[in-house]
Amino acid sequence: MDTKLIVSASPHVRSDETTQSLMANVIVALCPCVVASAIIFGVRALLVTAVSVVACVVFEWLYCKLLKRPNPISDLSAVVTGIILAMNVPVGMPIGQLIIGDLVAIIVVKQLFGGIGMNFANPALVGRIVLFISFAGSMNKWVFPDAAVDQLSKATPLAVADPSKLSLLDLFMGIHGGVLGETCALAIVLGLVYLVATKTISIAIPASYVGSVFVFYLIATKNLHSALVAVLSGGLLFGAVFMATDYVTSPFTLKGKLVYGVCLGIVTFAIRYWGSYTEGVSFALLFMNLWVPYINDLTRQTPYGYVKPAKKAKEGAGK
């Protein structure tokens, strides 16, 4: 009986997961943040999110249509970029300015570098930074919930002079000013639980990132309450869960993920604690995105059965 030997190309361990299914999981995980933003800031939060998603999808479709490339919008990555960017702007963000951020994210950062999997940084992250630099007034025009406590009426939590006066419960539930997605820690945690439970992401990066920031603040302030305020304030939790874990711009190995997370914590703490800019997450992420290739090289897994050349030579001489 004739038999045929079929040799498959590496990698030999395959998965049924597709880009579309992974992006769908991220969209589901983002839903609590979208719902919370609508409850906290009103219906306009949904309008901002919808416009951002539609703009990202349209820009990706138009670009690929004009260059006669395969249409990738079915992989849902543009939808994810649109939602994440929307969650990174205030509810009162002018629609025209938001669309400029979507254009930068999809065309400049993603498509001009070759499309999904080829971008040097998280597209939504760069879109946020461009909006912050170009339209600082709009990006810092905070809208506050009616239930917000008095000490938050003129500043976001990170800008409050005395963190000891801030309620941890208010911070956790999102009763304070900020951008759409970063205010409600509860919604972010729910998204994290879903992503980890579905094995969409590893807990390594969020845990090492948030944990290192907490430890650094605890050492610097010697105050548990202040350290918890630092964790629950600003974009730390949202960035750690939905932006630092981006497959393309984060390390491959567990060791690399832990190194990446701790380095993110160091840079974020340095910017927040010693710098004049209270929110350091965006710039820390962008800075560390550029170092990911080097982290991958330094933390590369040893191939099974590999023996170092020096060890081989030593064994040969002993025979």
Side-chain angles (χ1 to χ4, degrees):
M1 184 176 73
D2 293 335
T3 59
K4 291 183 179 180
L5 178 64
I6 300 175
V7 179
S8 61
S10 62
H12 302 291
V13 178
R14 300 183 183 275
S15 171
D16 294 331
E17 293 284 1
T18 63
T19 300
Q20 186 183 63
S21 64
L22 292 173
M23 293 298 107
N25 285 341
V26 177
I27 292 171
V28 173
L30 283 164
C31 284
C33 292
V34 175
V35 173
S37 68
I39 294 173
I40 295 169
F41 297 108
V43 180
R44 195 177 193 277
L46 298 179
L47 173 64
V48 169
T49 304
V51 169
S52 183
V53 169
V54 171
C56 284
V57 171
V58 169
F59 284 138
E60 185 155 88
W61 182 84
L62 283 175
Y63 182 88
C64 294
K65 186 75 173 177
L66 291 173
L67 271 67
K68 297 181 180 180
R69 293 181 178 177
N71 196 320
I73 60 174
S74 61
D75 64 17
L76 301 179
S77 60
V79 176
V80 170
T81 298
I83 298 175
I84 292 178
L85 184 54
M87 294 294 103
N88 274 278
V89 302
V91 68
M93 188 74 185
I95 296 301
Q97 295 176 6
L98 174 63
I99 292 175
I100 292 175
D102 293 320
L103 175 67
V104 171
I106 294 297
I107 303 298
V108 178
V109 184
K110 183 181 180 182
Q111 290 299 335
L112 289 182
F113 280 87
I116 187 169
M118 304 297 290
N119 41 284
F120 72 96
N122 185 293
L125 168 66
V126 179
R128 173 192 166 128
I129 292 176
V130 168
L131 288 176
F132 181 83
I133 294 173
S134 304
F135 310 106
S138 298
M139 288 293 287
N140 287 295
K141 191 177 291 183
W142 312 118
V143 174
F144 299 87
D146 293 336
V149 290
D150 184 61
Q151 64 263 30
L152 297 181
S153 60
K154 294 182 180 179
T156 58
L158 284 175
V160 172
D162 188 359
S164 64
K165 293 182 180 179
L166 298 175
S167 166
L168 294 179
L169 180 60
D170 286 343
L171 292 175
F172 187 73
M173 298 303 296
I175 308 177
H176 59 85
V179 301
L180 294 179
E182 72 181 22
T183 51
C184 185
L186 174 60
I188 299 170
V189 171
L190 290 175
L192 172 63
V193 171
Y194 178 81
L195 290 174
V196 174
T198 56
K199 297 182 180 180
T200 304
I201 67 169
S202 165
I203 192 66
I205 292 176
S208 57
Y209 186 9
V210 176
S212 60
V213 171
F214 172 79
V215 170
F216 295 144
Y217 264 98
L218 189 62
I219 294 172
T221 64
K222 298 180 177 61
N223 186 293
L224 178 61
H225 187 275
S226 296
L228 289 173
V229 167
V231 167
L232 295 173
S233 302
L236 177 61
L237 290 179
F238 188 86
V241 174
F242 294 107
M243 301 173 83
T245 55
D246 177 40
Y247 285 156
V248 182
T249 57
S250 62
F252 305 138
T253 65
L254 175 60
K255 187 189 299 183
K257 293 178 190 296
L258 294 174
V259 170
Y260 179 65
V262 172
C263 289
L264 279 170
I266 293 172
V267 179
T268 300
F269 172 76
I271 295 174
R272 282 185 174 187
Y273 195 74
W274 289 301
S276 58
Y277 181 48
T278 54
E279 174 58 86
V281 173
S282 295
F283 293 104
L285 282 167
L286 179 59
F287 178 75
M288 289 309 303
N289 279 174
L290 303 178
W291 284 93
V292 166
Y294 303 102
I295 295 175
N296 281 331
D297 285 341
L298 293 173
T299 59
R300 184 178 300 169
Q301 289 181 325
T302 303
Y304 181 73
Y306 175 79
V307 180
K308 291 183 178 180
K311 189 173 182 180
K312 280 185 179 179
K314 186 176 180 181
E315 288 176 355
K319 290 182 180 179

